[in-house]
Amino acid sequence: MTNQNDLFVVKGCCTSKKDVSEKASLNRDDGRELPVAIIGAGPVGLAAAAHLASRGQSFILLESGKQAGANIKSWGHIRLFSPWRYNIDKAAARLLSANGWVQPQLEALPTGEELVEHYLKPLSRLPEIKPFIHLNTKVLSVGRKDTDKMKTANRENIPFVIHAEENGEYKTYESKAVIDAAGTWGNPNPASSSGIWLAEEQLLKEKIYYGIPDILGSEQQRYRNKRIAVVGGGHSAINALLDLAELKESFPETEILWIMRRNQVEDSYGGEEKDALEARGRLGSRIRQLVDNGQVEAITPFRIQLVKKSETGIELIGSQNGKPGSLEGIDEMIVNTGSRPDFAMINELRTSIDSATESVEALAPLIDPNIHSCGTVRPHGEKELRQPEKNFYIVGSKSYGRAPTFLMATGYEQVRSVAAYLSGDFAAAEKVELDLPETGVCSVNLKSSCDEPASTCCN
């Protein structure tokens, strides 16, 4: 798996068809086929491993965290609004069951912690998967061996080389294909409406939490009796607001500001009782009550232009209804404006990425909230996920870029199809096997009302 096993070297500017065909197999010098490399041991990356293992395909799984599902552990206190039956991959369930795993109650709603402990951790420890996981392994870059992005001749027959830092030591791995399931977690959008990271906001990182903090647990001291601004109009922001409202019951001096770009607060309530995911629908109903009774002060539409430190705390400078305005005296901020993919590690690969959503280009017409209502994303697989770089795939939430409609079950179908294709089962790769609930009524009026970033408009 190191870079010592040269496949071949193409000399000069061109190669004959005969030479290419004779050297087209991506095998090691010792005759063993190179593995498929999977980046990220979250739910979708582990599902990819399960599908490849089920098909007898060799693979390596590279995870930057110290355990599988490391990113999910950081929001382990949050309860998902999709039940277990939509969060378990079928191939993974078969492997687990064969090793004595007891399936959770399928209609129950797991927390992030439960998802890791009762599903991802047991899956990562299966004998079919555990030997091939490399933890504490940060992928630095992915490319073709001894071949930069500009070179075309015989490119698709040259193995991938993955440069990584494993437990502080530099290593390289070779593979015949790469499945990038690295996700977007840990790469948040800023609070500013421009989407641009400004130095003033970065300097306040100790007072700004990007995501959903454990407000009722380990972070309670940080937020009680403080003036807190929650930025964002999606379900992550609503979760944070609900926790703050519960904290306020015990610490009544807590002030809660909800800052959005939407034209009216009602646009954030979603489908409520009409949402097919009941738990998600309840979020909208509960936040409506909190706004109506004054426990949460909704400030919308407010477009943040600058986040800066002032004598009274944090000051937000922006505009409301087209007029300049500012909000002062904020002690803490919780920002839920979504995440964006990081493409730095795949810069030497040839990719097709939509310029607006930053999703896989073929998916953009299906998921762009500027033109699409929530819940209308059709099933898709290997064909839609193909990149100009043969046998390289971006899957999972990273394949959706900044768009908000991704569900784990969608990622499971993606990697089922990709694994089938890489195994030579083209009929299975083309077949659609996805069963999803209707995602309910989107709160978006596509003509006018949604001015949130793509990552928070509807999710």
Side-chain angles (χ1 to χ4, degrees), residues 67-375:
Q67 69 169 84
N71 285 339
I72 294 176
K73 290 283 284 187
S74 68
W75 51 267
H77 57 288
I78 300 300
R79 191 167 298 280
L80 281 71
F81 48 66
S82 54
W84 271 111
R85 66 190 177 101
Y86 293 120
N87 300 324
I88 299 173
D89 174 73
K90 292 178 181 178
R94 288 192 293 269
L95 289 177
L96 285 163
S97 297
N99 285 270
W101 177 68
V102 178
Q103 185 172 261
Q105 195 349 278
L106 293 182
E107 297 308 315
L109 301 172
T111 62
E113 180 76 16
E114 290 166 345
L115 184 68
V116 173
E117 293 300 318
H118 301 316
Y119 174 55
L120 299 181
K121 186 181 289 187
L123 181 58
S124 70
R125 292 177 174 177
L126 291 178
E128 296 90 345
I129 294 178
K130 183 178 179 180
F132 311 108
I133 294 183
H134 296 258
L135 300 175
N136 296 309
T137 302
K138 181 181 180 180
V139 174
L140 304 174
S141 64
V142 183
R144 294 286 186 175
K145 185 176 180 181
D146 298 328
T147 304
D148 67 25
K149 194 174 188 176
M150 287 287 292
K151 302 298 188 296
T152 298
N154 205 38
R155 185 177 186 86
E156 67 183 39
N157 298 314
I158 299 172
F160 292 93
V161 61
I162 300 169
H163 301 264
E165 185 179 276
E166 184 171 342
N167 293 310
E169 181 182 351
Y170 171 75
K171 289 189 177 182
T172 60
Y173 299 91
E174 290 182 27
S175 67
K176 66 177 182 180
V178 176
I179 299 174
D180 183 354
T184 60
W185 190 255
N187 196 40
N189 292 323
S192 67
S193 297
S194 65
I196 297 171
W197 280 99
L198 300 174
E200 289 85 352
E201 181 173 345
Q202 292 173 314
L203 288 172
L204 284 165
K205 61 183 180 180
E206 298 300 322
K207 292 291 185 179
I208 304 176
Y209 191 101
Y210 298 89
I212 310 174
D214 190 2
I215 294 166
L216 301 175
S218 60
E219 299 287 342
Q220 184 185 117
Q221 179 69 34
R222 176 174 179 173
Y223 296 107
R224 64 189 191 188
N225 292 328
K226 301 286 182 64
R227 180 173 164 85
I228 305 149
V230 177
V231 181
H235 292 94
S236 294
I238 292 175
N239 267 308
L241 290 162
L242 294 175
D243 283 351
L244 286 170
E246 187 172 341
L247 182 70
K248 184 178 175 68
E249 292 176 6
S250 301
F251 300 94
E253 293 182 24
T254 304
E255 294 183 58
I256 309 168
L257 307 180
W258 185 14
I259 301 170
M260 294 171 285
R261 302 175 214 169
R262 299 181 187 274
N263 289 337
Q264 51 190 12
V265 67
E266 289 80 9
D267 295 334
S268 290
Y269 297 152
E272 299 189 68
E273 71 279 356
K274 297 177 183 179
D275 197 316
L277 292 174
E278 183 181 351
R280 185 172 60 187
R282 285 199 300 267
L283 291 181
S285 299
R286 290 169 62 196
I287 194 64
R288 178 192 288 272
Q289 293 174 356
L290 292 173
V291 172
D292 288 348
N293 66 25
Q295 289 181 269
V296 171
E297 180 184 355
I299 302 172
T300 192
F302 189 90
R303 292 167 177 81
I304 299 172
Q305 297 164 354
L306 182 64
V307 180
K308 73 171 192 176
K309 185 177 181 180
S310 71
E311 293 181 358
T312 58
I314 300 172
E315 181 179 1
L316 304 181
I317 298 173
S319 65
Q320 187 168 12
N321 293 315
K323 298 179 180 179
S326 66
L327 299 170
E328 300 182 14
I330 296 168
D331 298 307
E332 294 278 351
M333 286 179 65
I334 298 172
V335 177
N336 291 120
T337 51
S339 300
R340 60 183 68 178
D342 184 354
F343 297 117
M345 71 178 180
I346 57 173
N347 275 344
E348 278 304 307
L349 297 179
R350 298 177 177 184
T351 57
S352 183
I353 304 298
D354 180 68
S355 61
T357 63
E358 296 188 0
S359 70
V360 171
E361 189 167 41
L363 297 185
L366 309 178
I367 63 178
D368 185 348
N370 290 296
I371 58 176
H372 247 270
S373 176
C374 295

Side-chain angles (χ1 to χ4, degrees), residues 19-36:
D19 290 337
V20 171
S21 64
E22 288 176 349
K23 298 174 180 177
S25 176
L26 294 183
N27 291 342
R28 298 176 183 280
D29 291 341
D30 61 9
R32 290 184 291 119
E33 188 178 79
L34 289 169
V36 176

